[in-house]
Amino acid sequence: MNVQFPMLFKLKNTAKNTVTHCGVLEFIADEGLVYMPSWMMRNLLMNEGDLVTVESVNLPVASYSKFQPQSVDFLDISDPRAVLESTLRGVACLTVGDVIAIEYNSKIFELLVLETKPSNAVSIIECDMQVR
């Protein structure tokens, strides 16, 4: 078996034909189960207990990403760039069309991933990425 690190995965809800990408924090779920954050389940249009296909993938390293806040409240943050950069340190991949959730001061802010380069799905682990 040829395992590459970081371990990245393509998740697909075949019932809704939706796809996203992710890394793994730890392998603690029982065999046949996957734990994922609620915002990722929303991206896949899934409910708890739905089936998801998991496939190991290699993604290019991001050089650029563009986000769109889903609420003007995000602009009320004193330093939104710093908050975004801090949050992205805990994210392994970005997929165009996904909405990521940022928790700040007990509020949840959502950002739509509008664009990523060099492809529509990228790894953002230990990368130098231009953000807009």
Side-chain angles (χ1 to χ4, degrees):
M1 177 189 265
N2 184 16
V3 177
Q4 296 203 4
F5 292 93
M7 294 180 75
L8 303 176
F9 300 92
K10 175 180 171 180
L11 304 179
K12 184 173 184 179
N13 176 348
T14 54
K16 304 283 185 166
N17 199 32
T18 54
V19 173
T20 192
H21 298 81
C22 68
V24 64
L25 291 176
E26 53 188 338
F27 292 98
I28 59 169
D30 291 336
E31 187 173 335
L33 296 178
V34 174
Y35 297 126
M36 66 180 81
S38 56
W39 60 266
M40 191 175 292
M41 290 180 68
R42 284 191 300 276
N43 285 330
L44 289 168
L45 306 175
M46 297 184 71
N47 293 306
E48 189 173 329
D50 286 351
L51 294 177
V52 62
T53 302
V54 180
E55 177 186 340
S56 179
V57 294
N58 294 314
L59 297 176
V61 175
S63 60
Y64 172 84
S65 61
K66 184 176 181 179
F67 299 92
Q68 179 182 43
Q70 298 301 285
S71 166
V72 293
D73 294 341
F74 184 72
L75 302 176
D76 292 338
I77 297 173
S78 60
D79 191 352
R81 183 181 229 35
V83 171
L84 176 60
E85 288 175 357
S86 175
T87 299
L88 290 178
R89 285 188 199 107
V91 175
C93 308
L94 294 174
T95 305
V96 171
D98 277 359
V99 175
I100 62 169
I102 294 176
E103 185 173 349
Y104 180 74
N105 282 348
S106 302
K107 286 185 76 175
I108 302 291
F109 300 93
E110 294 186 327
L111 298 175
L112 173 64
V113 181
L114 287 178
E115 185 180 356
T116 58
K117 290 181 183 178
S119 73
N120 286 337
V122 293
S123 169
I124 62 169
I125 298 171
E126 296 181 20
C127 75
D128 188 20
M129 171 178 67
Q130 180 185 2
V131 176
R132 283 194 51 208

